[in-house]
Amino acid sequence: MFPVKEIDLHATEIYPGTQSVARAIALLKAFSDAQPEWSLNELAQATGLNKTTAFRLLSALEAERLVMRNPLSGGYRLGVELIAIGGTAMRSNPLRAMSRPSLVTLAEQSGEAATLEMLVENYVLVLDEIASSNPMGMTQDVGNRLPLHATATGKVLLASRPDAEIDRLLSDPLEPLTEQTIIDRARLKAELARVRQEGIAIAVGELEPWFTAVAAPIMDRERQVIAAISVGGPSLRLTADRLPTIAAMVQMSARQISRQLGYWPG
Amino acid sequence: MFPVKEIDLHATEIYPGTQSVARAIALLKAFSDAQPEWSLNELAQATGLNKTTAFRLLSALEAERLVMRNPLSGGYRLGVELIAIGGTAMRSNPLRAMSRPSLVTLAEQSGEAATLEMLVENYVLVLDEIASSNPMGMTQDVGNRLPLHATATGKVLLASRPDAEIDRLLSDPLEPLTEQTIIDRARLKAELARVRQEGIAIAVGELEPWFTAVAAPIMDRERQVIAAISVGGPSLRLTADRLPTIAAMVQMSARQISRQLGYWPG
DNA sequence: ATCGTTGTTTCATATTGTGAAATATAATAT
DNA sequence: ATATTATATTTCACAATATGAAACAACGAT
């Protein structure tokens, strides 16, 4: 159903004369929801930097407000300037702008929340989200990172990658987020094969116990899968009998967006 | 009503050994909603960097996905990694987390959208926003930058700064965004004096013709104004007779948040 | 074809970034 | 209190890294 092309995603080649910038970025990337505050030593250790170097780089980041310090603990946190720059990055993202109308329609049609997500590093990044018109929509999490193996979109994006890369992308072991999360690699691989064939992925209670989602791939003119869209909501509403209908809606929207990107089926 | 302390916000002192990082950040800061895509030469010119240097730094940023290129034009845009990092920055912001409950209550009480905003560079940054329960809420713009002179929150934040800094912060001339935008500096200064006294700011149709907002300051234990909260919505709903009631609600919430930050009135 | 414009590579140079060590500061134990 | 550890910050000699002029390549436009 959809192609698996070998493309060098790990373009981590080192440009000469960019060491300090690369290191500063590594520092920024260390911060996460799980650990939003770091001490200097922790950061130096996690990034493999000399303590003095980390300190100097962090001072530069702090002066520009990309990083701030907890006045009580002295710990480092991401700064407000990143909220501003991140907001600009989000609003100016071309894929997001292009997909939005279809996503809105999809949310209306389905009556559930619709999202646009893509593969970044080894996570799924939520690029856009249209809240459900029905009450009890998902939490607002544009800009959030979600695990690849426990999301419908993650499965779609994984399925589009060659096998060797899938192994690189998946955490080991697969973290169980709910009872339903697939933690057996072989079973996940089998599921991915099915996703590849059918062009649709489903996750029932795999990310959160109450949550079900259906996802389909977005492809560009080179027939590369560059993103995925999904419809998701409470499993009580997205019941088994509704899933085929919803899957069809998601696929139709996905094709519509893909076509706008220059993709031509056939 | 509230204090005006002289504090060096422009801590743009130069740490030794951080030139390239500072320059890379300057490149990122060049991007805006108004101009989301830049050519290499434009960026080099805008930041005052040598073309080669800009190119090298941008290559480093691109390798880490903080920047991406438009395959058609070759132009530079902010990359998806910044959306992810920005999301983390937002979700981990302590002020935002602390203010949220009060902000939710405020939105419920008033039936209008409530926001938390702070001064970053020479703009107001929207840190959080609770949508109106009533239909036709504001557009979602957490992470957005708004002009200081045309927003209620901006007036509050300006009023807390010493006069010399106000002049530095304000654009010259003041940009008229609507018919109602205050573009006369003297008139704005007079208004700020009143805001300083009353501890409340109002903007009726000054940012957008249909939009009215009311804002109050958030203060920390050092009695510094560090942020502002607001309630805003269509002017048709936020009519003159309702404004005093809403102002009281905003002020009460602002005090509540301030007290959590260690502020003690008196 | 020729020019002008923009992006990319090369390379000699020294400025800039580096990290070990010393110092200061805070937190905890004795 | 005092010692002890674990932090953060400053200093400084050294050379690796970042720099920018210049040359080159790749386009479009005229």
Side-chain angles (χ1 to χ4, degrees), chain A residues 15 19-20 23 50-53 56-57:
Chain A
Y15 261 78
Q19 191 190 71
S20 58
R23 286 172 164 187
N50 180 286
K51 192 173 58 158
T52 309
T53 303
R56 185 164 15 82
L57 293 173

PDB file of all heavy atoms in Angstrom, chain A residues 15 19-20 23 50-53 56-57, chain C residues 8-9 17-23 27:
ATOM      1  N   TYR A  15      29.298  19.663  10.135  1.00  0.00           N
ATOM      2  CA  TYR A  15      29.852  20.797   9.426  1.00  0.00           C
ATOM      3  C   TYR A  15      31.021  21.338  10.229  1.00  0.00           C
ATOM      4  O   TYR A  15      30.926  21.470  11.444  1.00  0.00           O
ATOM      5  CB  TYR A  15      28.794  21.899   9.273  1.00  0.00           C
ATOM      6  CG  TYR A  15      28.130  21.891   7.932  1.00  0.00           C
ATOM      7  CD1 TYR A  15      27.137  20.953   7.632  1.00  0.00           C
ATOM      8  CD2 TYR A  15      28.489  22.801   6.937  1.00  0.00           C
ATOM      9  CE1 TYR A  15      26.528  20.935   6.402  1.00  0.00           C
ATOM     10  CE2 TYR A  15      27.875  22.790   5.701  1.00  0.00           C
ATOM     11  CZ  TYR A  15      26.891  21.863   5.434  1.00  0.00           C
ATOM     12  OH  TYR A  15      26.295  21.859   4.209  1.00  0.00           O
ATOM     13  N   GLN A  19      30.900  23.422  16.189  1.00  0.00           N
ATOM     14  CA  GLN A  19      30.900  22.601  17.394  1.00  0.00           C
ATOM     15  C   GLN A  19      30.084  23.222  18.515  1.00  0.00           C
ATOM     16  O   GLN A  19      29.213  22.574  19.093  1.00  0.00           O
ATOM     17  CB  GLN A  19      32.340  22.382  17.871  1.00  0.00           C
ATOM     18  CG  GLN A  19      32.451  21.344  18.954  1.00  0.00           C
ATOM     19  CD  GLN A  19      33.843  21.319  19.575  1.00  0.00           C
ATOM     20  OE1 GLN A  19      34.234  22.226  20.297  1.00  0.00           O
ATOM     21  NE2 GLN A  19      34.588  20.286  19.268  1.00  0.00           N
ATOM     22  N   SER A  20      30.369  24.481  18.811  1.00  0.00           N
ATOM     23  CA  SER A  20      29.723  25.088  19.967  1.00  0.00           C
ATOM     24  C   SER A  20      28.210  25.206  19.769  1.00  0.00           C
ATOM     25  O   SER A  20      27.445  24.988  20.710  1.00  0.00           O
ATOM     26  CB  SER A  20      30.335  26.454  20.273  1.00  0.00           C
ATOM     27  OG  SER A  20      30.221  27.296  19.163  1.00  0.00           O
ATOM     28  N   ARG A  23      26.671  21.884  20.260  1.00  0.00           N
ATOM     29  CA  ARG A  23      26.651  21.553  21.690  1.00  0.00           C
ATOM     30  C   ARG A  23      25.556  22.311  22.429  1.00  0.00           C
ATOM     31  O   ARG A  23      24.874  21.758  23.292  1.00  0.00           O
ATOM     32  CB  ARG A  23      28.004  21.882  22.310  1.00  0.00           C
ATOM     33  CG  ARG A  23      29.079  20.891  21.916  1.00  0.00           C
ATOM     34  CD  ARG A  23      30.452  21.340  22.373  1.00  0.00           C
ATOM     35  NE  ARG A  23      31.411  20.239  22.342  1.00  0.00           N
ATOM     36  CZ  ARG A  23      32.649  20.321  22.826  1.00  0.00           C
ATOM     37  NH1 ARG A  23      33.076  21.447  23.360  1.00  0.00           N
ATOM     38  NH2 ARG A  23      33.451  19.288  22.758  1.00  0.00           N
ATOM     39  N   ASN A  50      32.171  19.068  28.987  1.00  0.00           N
ATOM     40  CA  ASN A  50      32.940  19.536  30.138  1.00  0.00           C
ATOM     41  C   ASN A  50      32.068  20.515  30.936  1.00  0.00           C
ATOM     42  O   ASN A  50      31.327  21.301  30.364  1.00  0.00           O
ATOM     43  CB  ASN A  50      34.201  20.236  29.640  1.00  0.00           C
ATOM     44  CG  ASN A  50      35.033  20.744  30.786  1.00  0.00           C
ATOM     45  OD1 ASN A  50      34.674  21.732  31.415  1.00  0.00           O
ATOM     46  ND2 ASN A  50      36.132  20.079  31.058  1.00  0.00           N
ATOM     47  N   LYS A  51      32.188  20.443  32.232  1.00  0.00           N
ATOM     48  CA  LYS A  51      31.336  21.275  33.085  1.00  0.00           C
ATOM     49  C   LYS A  51      31.493  22.759  32.754  1.00  0.00           C
ATOM     50  O   LYS A  51      30.513  23.506  32.673  1.00  0.00           O
ATOM     51  CB  LYS A  51      31.689  21.019  34.554  1.00  0.00           C
ATOM     52  CG  LYS A  51      30.694  21.591  35.528  1.00  0.00           C
ATOM     53  CD  LYS A  51      30.997  21.171  36.956  1.00  0.00           C
ATOM     54  CE  LYS A  51      32.395  21.589  37.387  1.00  0.00           C
ATOM     55  NZ  LYS A  51      32.516  21.659  38.867  1.00  0.00           N
ATOM     56  N   THR A  52      32.714  23.185  32.565  1.00  0.00           N
ATOM     57  CA  THR A  52      32.964  24.594  32.240  1.00  0.00           C
ATOM     58  C   THR A  52      32.315  24.981  30.917  1.00  0.00           C
ATOM     59  O   THR A  52      31.701  26.033  30.788  1.00  0.00           O
ATOM     60  CB  THR A  52      34.475  24.858  32.135  1.00  0.00           C
ATOM     61  OG1 THR A  52      35.103  24.364  33.296  1.00  0.00           O
ATOM     62  CG2 THR A  52      34.739  26.334  31.983  1.00  0.00           C
ATOM     63  N   THR A  53      32.455  24.104  29.942  1.00  0.00           N
ATOM     64  CA  THR A  53      31.867  24.363  28.623  1.00  0.00           C
ATOM     65  C   THR A  53      30.354  24.457  28.723  1.00  0.00           C
ATOM     66  O   THR A  53      29.732  25.385  28.180  1.00  0.00           O
ATOM     67  CB  THR A  53      32.258  23.249  27.653  1.00  0.00           C
ATOM     68  OG1 THR A  53      33.675  23.153  27.602  1.00  0.00           O
ATOM     69  CG2 THR A  53      31.718  23.532  26.272  1.00  0.00           C
ATOM     70  N   ARG A  56      29.410  27.716  30.279  1.00  0.00           N
ATOM     71  CA  ARG A  56      29.568  28.864  29.379  1.00  0.00           C
ATOM     72  C   ARG A  56      28.445  28.906  28.343  1.00  0.00           C
ATOM     73  O   ARG A  56      27.838  29.945  28.094  1.00  0.00           O
ATOM     74  CB  ARG A  56      30.925  28.794  28.694  1.00  0.00           C
ATOM     75  CG  ARG A  56      31.237  29.966  27.837  1.00  0.00           C
ATOM     76  CD  ARG A  56      32.709  30.077  27.488  1.00  0.00           C
ATOM     77  NE  ARG A  56      33.449  28.871  27.756  1.00  0.00           N
ATOM     78  CZ  ARG A  56      33.512  27.811  26.956  1.00  0.00           C
ATOM     79  NH1 ARG A  56      32.858  27.843  25.809  1.00  0.00           N
ATOM     80  NH2 ARG A  56      34.220  26.755  27.281  1.00  0.00           N
ATOM     81  N   LEU A  57      28.138  27.767  27.749  1.00  0.00           N
ATOM     82  CA  LEU A  57      27.080  27.715  26.746  1.00  0.00           C
ATOM     83  C   LEU A  57      25.732  28.066  27.367  1.00  0.00           C
ATOM     84  O   LEU A  57      24.935  28.822  26.788  1.00  0.00           O
ATOM     85  CB  LEU A  57      27.034  26.321  26.117  1.00  0.00           C
ATOM     86  CG  LEU A  57      28.258  25.939  25.278  1.00  0.00           C
ATOM     87  CD1 LEU A  57      28.176  24.479  24.852  1.00  0.00           C
ATOM     88  CD2 LEU A  57      28.374  26.839  24.056  1.00  0.00           C
TER      89      LEU A  57
ATOM     90  P    DT C   8      23.115  26.504  -0.386  1.00  0.00           P
ATOM     91  OP1  DT C   8      22.468  25.196  -0.602  1.00  0.00           O
ATOM     92  OP2  DT C   8      22.950  27.200   0.905  1.00  0.00           O
ATOM     93  O5'  DT C   8      24.668  26.333  -0.689  1.00  0.00           O
ATOM     94  C5'  DT C   8      25.069  25.689  -1.887  1.00  0.00           C
ATOM     95  C4'  DT C   8      26.576  25.655  -1.998  1.00  0.00           C
ATOM     96  O4'  DT C   8      27.077  27.006  -2.148  1.00  0.00           O
ATOM     97  C3'  DT C   8      27.314  25.071  -0.789  1.00  0.00           C
ATOM     98  O3'  DT C   8      27.924  23.853  -1.199  1.00  0.00           O
ATOM     99  C2'  DT C   8      28.318  26.142  -0.383  1.00  0.00           C
ATOM    100  C1'  DT C   8      28.385  27.016  -1.628  1.00  0.00           C
ATOM    101  N1   DT C   8      28.752  28.447  -1.405  1.00  0.00           N
ATOM    102  C2   DT C   8      29.935  28.931  -1.916  1.00  0.00           C
ATOM    103  O2   DT C   8      30.718  28.236  -2.543  1.00  0.00           O
ATOM    104  N3   DT C   8      30.179  30.256  -1.665  1.00  0.00           N
ATOM    105  C4   DT C   8      29.362  31.140  -0.969  1.00  0.00           C
ATOM    106  O4   DT C   8      29.686  32.309  -0.808  1.00  0.00           O
ATOM    107  C5   DT C   8      28.139  30.572  -0.459  1.00  0.00           C
ATOM    108  C7   DT C   8      27.209  31.440   0.303  1.00  0.00           C
ATOM    109  C6   DT C   8      27.881  29.267  -0.693  1.00  0.00           C
ATOM    110  P    DT C   9      28.798  23.011  -0.194  1.00  0.00           P
ATOM    111  OP1  DT C   9      28.696  21.598  -0.590  1.00  0.00           O
ATOM    112  OP2  DT C   9      28.484  23.436   1.186  1.00  0.00           O
ATOM    113  O5'  DT C   9      30.267  23.506  -0.552  1.00  0.00           O
ATOM    114  C5'  DT C   9      30.730  23.409  -1.896  1.00  0.00           C
ATOM    115  C4'  DT C   9      32.173  23.876  -1.989  1.00  0.00           C
ATOM    116  O4'  DT C   9      32.222  25.309  -1.831  1.00  0.00           O
ATOM    117  C3'  DT C   9      33.112  23.287  -0.919  1.00  0.00           C
ATOM    118  O3'  DT C   9      34.223  22.729  -1.595  1.00  0.00           O
ATOM    119  C2'  DT C   9      33.486  24.481  -0.041  1.00  0.00           C
ATOM    120  C1'  DT C   9      33.308  25.666  -1.003  1.00  0.00           C
ATOM    121  N1   DT C   9      32.947  26.951  -0.353  1.00  0.00           N
ATOM    122  C2   DT C   9      33.713  28.064  -0.578  1.00  0.00           C
ATOM    123  O2   DT C   9      34.705  28.060  -1.282  1.00  0.00           O
ATOM    124  N3   DT C   9      33.269  29.208   0.059  1.00  0.00           N
ATOM    125  C4   DT C   9      32.161  29.338   0.875  1.00  0.00           C
ATOM    126  O4   DT C   9      31.869  30.412   1.383  1.00  0.00           O
ATOM    127  C5   DT C   9      31.402  28.135   1.069  1.00  0.00           C
ATOM    128  C7   DT C   9      30.180  28.152   1.929  1.00  0.00           C
ATOM    129  C6   DT C   9      31.820  27.008   0.455  1.00  0.00           C
ATOM    130  P    DG C  17      33.132  31.982  20.581  1.00  0.00           P
ATOM    131  OP1  DG C  17      31.840  31.635  19.980  1.00  0.00           O
ATOM    132  OP2  DG C  17      33.211  32.955  21.675  1.00  0.00           O
ATOM    133  O5'  DG C  17      33.807  30.624  21.029  1.00  0.00           O
ATOM    134  C5'  DG C  17      33.881  29.572  20.071  1.00  0.00           C
ATOM    135  C4'  DG C  17      34.616  28.393  20.661  1.00  0.00           C
ATOM    136  O4'  DG C  17      35.930  28.833  21.097  1.00  0.00           O
ATOM    137  C3'  DG C  17      33.940  27.768  21.874  1.00  0.00           C
ATOM    138  O3'  DG C  17      34.040  26.363  21.715  1.00  0.00           O
ATOM    139  C2'  DG C  17      34.765  28.295  23.050  1.00  0.00           C
ATOM    140  C1'  DG C  17      36.152  28.429  22.432  1.00  0.00           C
ATOM    141  N9   DG C  17      37.027  29.446  23.018  1.00  0.00           N
ATOM    142  C8   DG C  17      36.718  30.732  23.359  1.00  0.00           C
ATOM    143  N7   DG C  17      37.733  31.418  23.836  1.00  0.00           N
ATOM    144  C5   DG C  17      38.797  30.520  23.804  1.00  0.00           C
ATOM    145  C6   DG C  17      40.147  30.680  24.190  1.00  0.00           C
ATOM    146  O6   DG C  17      40.702  31.681  24.656  1.00  0.00           O
ATOM    147  N1   DG C  17      40.879  29.515  23.979  1.00  0.00           N
ATOM    148  C2   DG C  17      40.365  28.345  23.452  1.00  0.00           C
ATOM    149  N2   DG C  17      41.218  27.330  23.324  1.00  0.00           N
ATOM    150  N3   DG C  17      39.100  28.176  23.080  1.00  0.00           N
ATOM    151  C4   DG C  17      38.375  29.302  23.288  1.00  0.00           C
ATOM    152  P    DT C  18      33.375  25.385  22.741  1.00  0.00           P
ATOM    153  OP1  DT C  18      32.833  24.234  21.997  1.00  0.00           O
ATOM    154  OP2  DT C  18      32.510  26.161  23.646  1.00  0.00           O
ATOM    155  O5'  DT C  18      34.642  24.899  23.538  1.00  0.00           O
ATOM    156  C5'  DT C  18      35.696  24.250  22.823  1.00  0.00           C
ATOM    157  C4'  DT C  18      36.868  23.999  23.715  1.00  0.00           C
ATOM    158  O4'  DT C  18      37.453  25.265  24.097  1.00  0.00           O
ATOM    159  C3'  DT C  18      36.513  23.304  25.037  1.00  0.00           C
ATOM    160  O3'  DT C  18      36.974  21.976  24.971  1.00  0.00           O
ATOM    161  C2'  DT C  18      37.246  24.115  26.111  1.00  0.00           C
ATOM    162  C1'  DT C  18      38.125  25.063  25.312  1.00  0.00           C
ATOM    163  N1   DT C  18      38.319  26.417  25.909  1.00  0.00           N
ATOM    164  C2   DT C  18      39.561  26.781  26.369  1.00  0.00           C
ATOM    165  O2   DT C  18      40.533  26.052  26.329  1.00  0.00           O
ATOM    166  N3   DT C  18      39.636  28.054  26.893  1.00  0.00           N
ATOM    167  C4   DT C  18      38.596  28.970  26.992  1.00  0.00           C
ATOM    168  O4   DT C  18      38.780  30.084  27.482  1.00  0.00           O
ATOM    169  C5   DT C  18      37.329  28.527  26.498  1.00  0.00           C
ATOM    170  C7   DT C  18      36.149  29.438  26.566  1.00  0.00           C
ATOM    171  C6   DT C  18      37.241  27.274  25.980  1.00  0.00           C
ATOM    172  P    DG C  19      36.228  20.865  25.795  1.00  0.00           P
ATOM    173  OP1  DG C  19      36.357  19.586  25.069  1.00  0.00           O
ATOM    174  OP2  DG C  19      34.912  21.381  26.202  1.00  0.00           O
ATOM    175  O5'  DG C  19      37.170  20.812  27.078  1.00  0.00           O
ATOM    176  C5'  DG C  19      38.517  20.445  26.912  1.00  0.00           C
ATOM    177  C4'  DG C  19      39.283  20.703  28.185  1.00  0.00           C
ATOM    178  O4'  DG C  19      39.357  22.131  28.435  1.00  0.00           O
ATOM    179  C3'  DG C  19      38.646  20.118  29.451  1.00  0.00           C
ATOM    180  O3'  DG C  19      39.705  19.750  30.324  1.00  0.00           O
ATOM    181  C2'  DG C  19      37.904  21.302  30.049  1.00  0.00           C
ATOM    182  C1'  DG C  19      38.905  22.405  29.740  1.00  0.00           C
ATOM    183  N9   DG C  19      38.338  23.745  29.740  1.00  0.00           N
ATOM    184  C8   DG C  19      37.031  24.117  29.521  1.00  0.00           C
ATOM    185  N7   DG C  19      36.834  25.410  29.580  1.00  0.00           N
ATOM    186  C5   DG C  19      38.092  25.926  29.847  1.00  0.00           C
ATOM    187  C6   DG C  19      38.513  27.269  30.014  1.00  0.00           C
ATOM    188  O6   DG C  19      37.837  28.292  29.953  1.00  0.00           O
ATOM    189  N1   DG C  19      39.882  27.356  30.271  1.00  0.00           N
ATOM    190  C2   DG C  19      40.727  26.276  30.355  1.00  0.00           C
ATOM    191  N2   DG C  19      42.001  26.553  30.605  1.00  0.00           N
ATOM    192  N3   DG C  19      40.345  25.016  30.193  1.00  0.00           N
ATOM    193  C4   DG C  19      39.017  24.914  29.946  1.00  0.00           C
ATOM    194  P    DA C  20      39.614  18.443  31.159  1.00  0.00           P
ATOM    195  OP1  DA C  20      39.806  17.283  30.264  1.00  0.00           O
ATOM    196  OP2  DA C  20      38.427  18.520  32.026  1.00  0.00           O
ATOM    197  O5'  DA C  20      40.919  18.605  32.070  1.00  0.00           O
ATOM    198  C5'  DA C  20      42.130  19.055  31.476  1.00  0.00           C
ATOM    199  C4'  DA C  20      42.935  19.887  32.460  1.00  0.00           C
ATOM    200  O4'  DA C  20      42.437  21.251  32.448  1.00  0.00           O
ATOM    201  C3'  DA C  20      42.862  19.413  33.910  1.00  0.00           C
ATOM    202  O3'  DA C  20      44.160  19.493  34.489  1.00  0.00           O
ATOM    203  C2'  DA C  20      41.888  20.378  34.569  1.00  0.00           C
ATOM    204  C1'  DA C  20      42.074  21.652  33.762  1.00  0.00           C
ATOM    205  N9   DA C  20      40.852  22.450  33.621  1.00  0.00           N
ATOM    206  C8   DA C  20      39.586  21.991  33.375  1.00  0.00           C
ATOM    207  N7   DA C  20      38.691  22.945  33.293  1.00  0.00           N
ATOM    208  C5   DA C  20      39.404  24.104  33.500  1.00  0.00           C
ATOM    209  C6   DA C  20      39.028  25.466  33.533  1.00  0.00           C
ATOM    210  N6   DA C  20      37.768  25.887  33.342  1.00  0.00           N
ATOM    211  N1   DA C  20      39.991  26.378  33.768  1.00  0.00           N
ATOM    212  C2   DA C  20      41.240  25.963  33.951  1.00  0.00           C
ATOM    213  N3   DA C  20      41.723  24.707  33.935  1.00  0.00           N
ATOM    214  C4   DA C  20      40.744  23.826  33.707  1.00  0.00           C
ATOM    215  P    DA C  21      44.406  18.994  35.994  1.00  0.00           P
ATOM    216  OP1  DA C  21      45.800  18.509  36.039  1.00  0.00           O
ATOM    217  OP2  DA C  21      43.291  18.115  36.410  1.00  0.00           O
ATOM    218  O5'  DA C  21      44.298  20.351  36.816  1.00  0.00           O
ATOM    219  C5'  DA C  21      45.069  21.472  36.397  1.00  0.00           C
ATOM    220  C4'  DA C  21      44.675  22.695  37.199  1.00  0.00           C
ATOM    221  O4'  DA C  21      43.410  23.211  36.721  1.00  0.00           O
ATOM    222  C3'  DA C  21      44.480  22.432  38.700  1.00  0.00           C
ATOM    223  O3'  DA C  21      45.209  23.396  39.438  1.00  0.00           O
ATOM    224  C2'  DA C  21      42.981  22.592  38.909  1.00  0.00           C
ATOM    225  C1'  DA C  21      42.654  23.613  37.840  1.00  0.00           C
ATOM    226  N9   DA C  21      41.240  23.650  37.462  1.00  0.00           N
ATOM    227  C8   DA C  21      40.408  22.593  37.213  1.00  0.00           C
ATOM    228  N7   DA C  21      39.183  22.937  36.897  1.00  0.00           N
ATOM    229  C5   DA C  21      39.210  24.328  36.947  1.00  0.00           C
ATOM    230  C6   DA C  21      38.227  25.305  36.715  1.00  0.00           C
ATOM    231  N6   DA C  21      36.966  25.017  36.372  1.00  0.00           N
ATOM    232  N1   DA C  21      38.587  26.596  36.839  1.00  0.00           N
ATOM    233  C2   DA C  21      39.849  26.881  37.187  1.00  0.00           C
ATOM    234  N3   DA C  21      40.866  26.054  37.434  1.00  0.00           N
ATOM    235  C4   DA C  21      40.469  24.782  37.290  1.00  0.00           C
ATOM    236  P    DA C  22      45.248  23.311  41.036  1.00  0.00           P
ATOM    237  OP1  DA C  22      46.674  23.316  41.409  1.00  0.00           O
ATOM    238  OP2  DA C  22      44.345  22.237  41.523  1.00  0.00           O
ATOM    239  O5'  DA C  22      44.616  24.712  41.454  1.00  0.00           O
ATOM    240  C5'  DA C  22      44.950  25.880  40.696  1.00  0.00           C
ATOM    241  C4'  DA C  22      43.994  26.989  41.058  1.00  0.00           C
ATOM    242  O4'  DA C  22      42.713  26.747  40.435  1.00  0.00           O
ATOM    243  C3'  DA C  22      43.719  27.103  42.565  1.00  0.00           C
ATOM    244  O3'  DA C  22      43.709  28.474  42.939  1.00  0.00           O
ATOM    245  C2'  DA C  22      42.350  26.461  42.727  1.00  0.00           C
ATOM    246  C1'  DA C  22      41.697  26.835  41.414  1.00  0.00           C
ATOM    247  N9   DA C  22      40.599  25.938  41.004  1.00  0.00           N
ATOM    248  C8   DA C  22      40.603  24.577  40.969  1.00  0.00           C
ATOM    249  N7   DA C  22      39.465  24.038  40.564  1.00  0.00           N
ATOM    250  C5   DA C  22      38.663  25.143  40.320  1.00  0.00           C
ATOM    251  C6   DA C  22      37.338  25.256  39.865  1.00  0.00           C
ATOM    252  N6   DA C  22      36.569  24.201  39.568  1.00  0.00           N
ATOM    253  N1   DA C  22      36.824  26.498  39.718  1.00  0.00           N
ATOM    254  C2   DA C  22      37.608  27.548  40.022  1.00  0.00           C
ATOM    255  N3   DA C  22      38.875  27.565  40.454  1.00  0.00           N
ATOM    256  C4   DA C  22      39.345  26.322  40.575  1.00  0.00           C
ATOM    257  P    DT C  23      43.485  28.849  44.483  1.00  0.00           P
ATOM    258  OP1  DT C  23      44.348  30.008  44.739  1.00  0.00           O
ATOM    259  OP2  DT C  23      43.569  27.631  45.311  1.00  0.00           O
ATOM    260  O5'  DT C  23      41.981  29.346  44.513  1.00  0.00           O
ATOM    261  C5'  DT C  23      41.557  30.399  43.648  1.00  0.00           C
ATOM    262  C4'  DT C  23      40.063  30.540  43.744  1.00  0.00           C
ATOM    263  O4'  DT C  23      39.436  29.340  43.239  1.00  0.00           O
ATOM    264  C3'  DT C  23      39.525  30.709  45.171  1.00  0.00           C
ATOM    265  O3'  DT C  23      38.948  31.999  45.281  1.00  0.00           O
ATOM    266  C2'  DT C  23      38.525  29.569  45.356  1.00  0.00           C
ATOM    267  C1'  DT C  23      38.214  29.189  43.916  1.00  0.00           C
ATOM    268  N1   DT C  23      37.734  27.791  43.707  1.00  0.00           N
ATOM    269  C2   DT C  23      36.475  27.585  43.211  1.00  0.00           C
ATOM    270  O2   DT C  23      35.713  28.494  42.924  1.00  0.00           O
ATOM    271  N3   DT C  23      36.120  26.263  43.049  1.00  0.00           N
ATOM    272  C4   DT C  23      36.888  25.160  43.330  1.00  0.00           C
ATOM    273  O4   DT C  23      36.465  24.030  43.152  1.00  0.00           O
ATOM    274  C5   DT C  23      38.209  25.449  43.863  1.00  0.00           C
ATOM    275  C7   DT C  23      39.114  24.314  44.215  1.00  0.00           C
ATOM    276  C6   DT C  23      38.564  26.732  44.022  1.00  0.00           C
ATOM    277  P    DA C  27      21.688  26.084  49.749  1.00  0.00           P
ATOM    278  OP1  DA C  27      20.457  25.959  48.950  1.00  0.00           O
ATOM    279  OP2  DA C  27      21.720  26.862  51.004  1.00  0.00           O
ATOM    280  O5'  DA C  27      22.214  24.616  50.080  1.00  0.00           O
ATOM    281  C5'  DA C  27      22.348  23.652  49.037  1.00  0.00           C
ATOM    282  C4'  DA C  27      22.773  22.354  49.663  1.00  0.00           C
ATOM    283  O4'  DA C  27      24.123  22.510  50.179  1.00  0.00           O
ATOM    284  C3'  DA C  27      21.908  21.907  50.843  1.00  0.00           C
ATOM    285  O3'  DA C  27      21.622  20.524  50.685  1.00  0.00           O
ATOM    286  C2'  DA C  27      22.771  22.182  52.066  1.00  0.00           C
ATOM    287  C1'  DA C  27      24.167  21.973  51.486  1.00  0.00           C
ATOM    288  N9   DA C  27      25.252  22.663  52.191  1.00  0.00           N
ATOM    289  C8   DA C  27      25.290  23.956  52.634  1.00  0.00           C
ATOM    290  N7   DA C  27      26.422  24.292  53.217  1.00  0.00           N
ATOM    291  C5   DA C  27      27.179  23.128  53.158  1.00  0.00           C
ATOM    292  C6   DA C  27      28.475  22.809  53.606  1.00  0.00           C
ATOM    293  N6   DA C  27      29.274  23.676  54.227  1.00  0.00           N
ATOM    294  N1   DA C  27      28.923  21.550  53.382  1.00  0.00           N
ATOM    295  C2   DA C  27      28.116  20.677  52.742  1.00  0.00           C
ATOM    296  N3   DA C  27      26.881  20.866  52.276  1.00  0.00           N
ATOM    297  C4   DA C  27      26.468  22.117  52.511  1.00  0.00           C
TER     298       DA C  27
END
